[in-house]
Amino acid sequence: VGVVLLTMLVFVETRIPDPALTLRLYKNRLFRAINLVAAPVYMGFFSLIFLLPVFLQKVGDHAPFITGLTVSGQAIGVVLASQLGGRWLYPRVGPRPLLIFGCVATMVSSLWFATIDETTALPAITAMTFVRGFFMGFVFIAIQTACYAQISLPDMGRATSLFNTQRQAAVAVGVAIVATVLSALVFSLDAPTDGGAPTAERVDAFQMAFLVSAALFALATAASFFVHNEDAAGTMAKPKPKATQAST
């Protein structure tokens, strides 16, 4: 039903003069490429944000407050890398290198979570979330800066609506994918009722879901090669002209 309705949406929105979603904006190469990267990025990013707290509370049996403190490192990493990437790196190297590097590094750091179990120390998990968030900051700054580089001012509101709609859909799909994998591998996420240690099957199920979450960044990395720096030249620092010596 969803596929049919989505097809109908595209059919209608591309044929009416005042659509709710201005799909014609996808004709712009840069906007299309950035959205192509952003979809698996947000799928992978938020799918782990969904998985990790559930793992810590159901497998590690940690309180929600402790869980929140443990995963807080990711937000700190995003903020720090966004400042570094926005002020220094993006103006010099452009979106494409940042996206490729950031997606690969985030994928590798996300694979790290497939090794954790109920015995992993919480400070180690916090450090892992910080590293992942730090690399994600480069991806976010490249996406958000380059996305609207070639969008005209009258279309800015429409482009923002389209990007945000796709982002929210990607988040939902990413969470649905890892939740489906998790549900298929374990019947219950409830903590053991006998007071014993969590079952190995439950840990294995989460580790497989973490692997799937990380794999989504492989798609984002491949999509990053469709982004061209020259399309986003207006958002980058212009090279300074070489000084010429005065003739005598």
Side-chain angles (χ1 to χ4, degrees), residues 144-219:
Q144 294 166 1
T145 305
C147 186
Y148 308 109
Q150 293 188 347
I151 301 299
S152 64
L153 189 59
D155 280 335
M156 191 62 69
R158 299 182 181 93
T160 303
S161 298
L162 189 58
F163 178 82
N164 287 334
T165 298
Q166 177 180 298
R167 180 182 62 182
Q168 297 299 329
V171 170
V173 171
V175 171
I177 289 174
V178 296
T180 300
V181 171
L182 196 60
S183 299
L185 296 176
V186 66
F187 289 106
S188 174
L189 296 181
D190 293 336
T193 57
D194 58 0
T199 62
E201 289 78 10
R202 181 178 285 108
V203 174
D204 290 343
F206 272 98
Q207 290 178 341
M208 181 58 67
F210 284 130
L211 283 175
V212 172
S213 175
L216 292 170
F217 283 96
L219 299 176

Side-chain angles (χ1 to χ4, degrees), residues 25-37 147 166:
L25 293 175
Y26 283 130
K27 294 180 180 179
N28 180 277
R29 185 174 72 166
L30 180 60
F31 184 76
R32 181 176 65 248
I34 290 296
N35 277 274
L36 188 64
V37 176
C147 186
Q166 177 180 298

Side-chain angles (χ1 to χ4, degrees), residues 93-158:
V93 304
R96 179 169 171 158
L98 275 186
L99 287 172
I100 295 173
F101 167 76
C103 288
V104 171
T106 303
M107 179 177 63
V108 173
S109 60
S110 297
L111 288 172
W112 198 2
F113 287 89
T115 66
I116 65 176
D117 55 27
E118 70 277 10
T119 65
T120 305
L122 293 183
I125 297 178
T126 301
M128 293 162 63
T129 62
F130 172 82
V131 171
R132 184 177 189 264
F134 186 80
F135 291 132
M136 277 301 310
F138 297 119
V139 178
F140 285 149
I141 199 67
I143 288 176
Q144 294 166 1
T145 305
C147 186
Y148 308 109
Q150 293 188 347
I151 301 299
S152 64
L153 189 59
D155 280 335
M156 191 62 69
R158 299 182 181 93

